[in-house]
Amino acid sequence: ARLDSPQKGVISEDDFYKTDEDCKEALAGVYSGILHSPEKRLYTYLYTFLAELADEVYVCDAGYSVDQLHSYMFYTYDPTVSYLSRVYNDMFAVVYRSNLVIDHFSSGTSDTMRNAVAEAKVIRSWMYIYLVSMFNTPPIVDHVLKSNAEFRQPNSEPAKAWKWIIDTLDEAIDSGALDSKDNIDDKSKVRVTLEFALALKGKAQVYSGDYISRSEERRVGKECR
């Protein structure tokens, strides 16, 4: 019995995700997953890769060789490219952290919890815009997976994935819990805002081919009737 000492430096999940302070720490973990992933590869590599896919970009720092970075420039990359798989894993790590916030605090009644859930939904949707754009059929993970059976999620269909992304952004936007800029030049907001969520929704609608807003769709439907 003397050897059965509690593990140091950890907090049981059963004892966490309860208070506003726990909620703030959990949300900080979501942001940390973006900014401080190993080697900052999500924050840096993702945008590097997307830039290298452009026609006007030529990678020449390592010479004219078909290494991993050149494979982006030549569109010859495949699943064996480690940089690509790392970014894929990093994005799903952020999805996991977002789901922790959403799962544990969706029933919370405080402003802190409502805001955290809305921000987590926006960030998860942000990651999925990249996942669907880059990988086409990533599995939709809308909650924390608990069992081996759940880990075997099937690939999604792009149309369903885009609808889920847009619907999730609508939930966050309509919640009224997101902070909003005071004006177009307001630089005091450093976290997810209502305007960021609206911008992501617009991007998702364009990428999915859904150019008409839900409210406009309802208006047109009424006029047709």
Side-chain angles (χ1 to χ4, degrees):
R2 292 182 178 180
L3 296 178
D4 294 333
S5 58
Q7 185 178 358
K8 305 296 190 296
V10 298
I11 301 175
S12 169
E13 186 172 342
D14 294 334
D15 298 326
F16 197 66
Y17 302 111
K18 297 182 182 298
T19 68
D20 281 355
E21 288 303 313
D22 296 341
C23 184
K24 290 177 182 178
E25 291 183 26
L27 184 61
V30 178
Y31 284 96
S32 177
I34 299 171
L35 296 174
H36 303 295
S37 59
E39 303 171 7
K40 294 186 178 181
R41 60 196 179 205
L42 179 54
Y43 185 72
T44 304
Y45 292 0
L46 176 60
Y47 296 104
T48 301
F49 295 156
L50 294 177
E52 287 172 0
L53 293 173
D55 292 336
E56 68 272 19
V57 174
Y58 186 87
V59 181
C60 59
D61 61 316
Y64 196 82
S65 59
V66 187
D67 57 13
Q68 293 203 38
L69 294 178
H70 282 87
S71 71
Y72 280 88
M73 181 179 68
F74 295 126
Y75 283 81
T76 57
Y77 55 89
D78 59 31
T80 65
V81 176
S82 62
Y83 290 160
L84 184 64
S85 61
R86 289 173 186 172
V87 167
Y88 182 87
N89 291 337
D90 289 343
M91 284 192 284
F92 268 110
V94 175
V95 169
Y96 167 72
R97 294 186 182 194
S98 300
N99 282 336
L100 283 173
V101 174
I102 297 167
D103 285 6
H104 286 97
F105 295 107
S106 284
S107 58
T109 57
S110 72
D111 290 342
T112 297
M113 294 179 184
R114 291 176 60 251
N115 173 258
V117 170
E119 288 190 27
K121 286 182 177 180
V122 173
I123 292 174
R124 186 179 66 182
S125 299
W126 183 24
M127 293 297 101
Y128 263 97
I129 286 175
Y130 286 121
L131 285 166
V132 180
S133 299
M134 296 173 68
F135 301 100
N136 197 40
T137 59
I140 295 176
V141 183
D142 60 359
H143 64 283
V144 176
L145 306 180
K146 299 287 188 180
S147 64
N148 289 333
E150 279 196 298
F151 289 138
R152 299 180 181 276
Q153 294 289 316
N155 283 0
S156 63
E157 297 177 12
K160 290 182 178 180
W162 285 121
K163 182 180 184 305
W164 176 69
I165 291 169
I166 294 170
D167 287 346
T168 303
L169 287 168
D170 276 336
E171 290 174 7
I173 292 166
D174 295 340
S175 70
L178 292 172
D179 199 3
S180 180
K181 288 189 173 185
D182 295 331
N183 54 68
I184 194 171
D185 297 317
D186 181 9
K187 297 181 180 180
S188 64
K189 308 299 189 295
V190 296
R191 298 191 338 194
V192 165
T193 62
L194 174 63
E195 290 74 22
F196 180 65
L198 289 168
L200 288 181
K201 179 184 175 181
K203 178 177 285 190
Q205 287 178 311
V206 171
Y207 284 7
S208 67
D210 178 15
Y211 303 115
I212 186 169
S213 70
R214 305 297 172 82
S215 59
E216 179 69 10
E217 189 175 20
R218 288 193 292 268
R219 185 187 66 80
V220 172
K222 288 181 180 179
E223 291 179 354
C224 290
R225 290 195 296 269

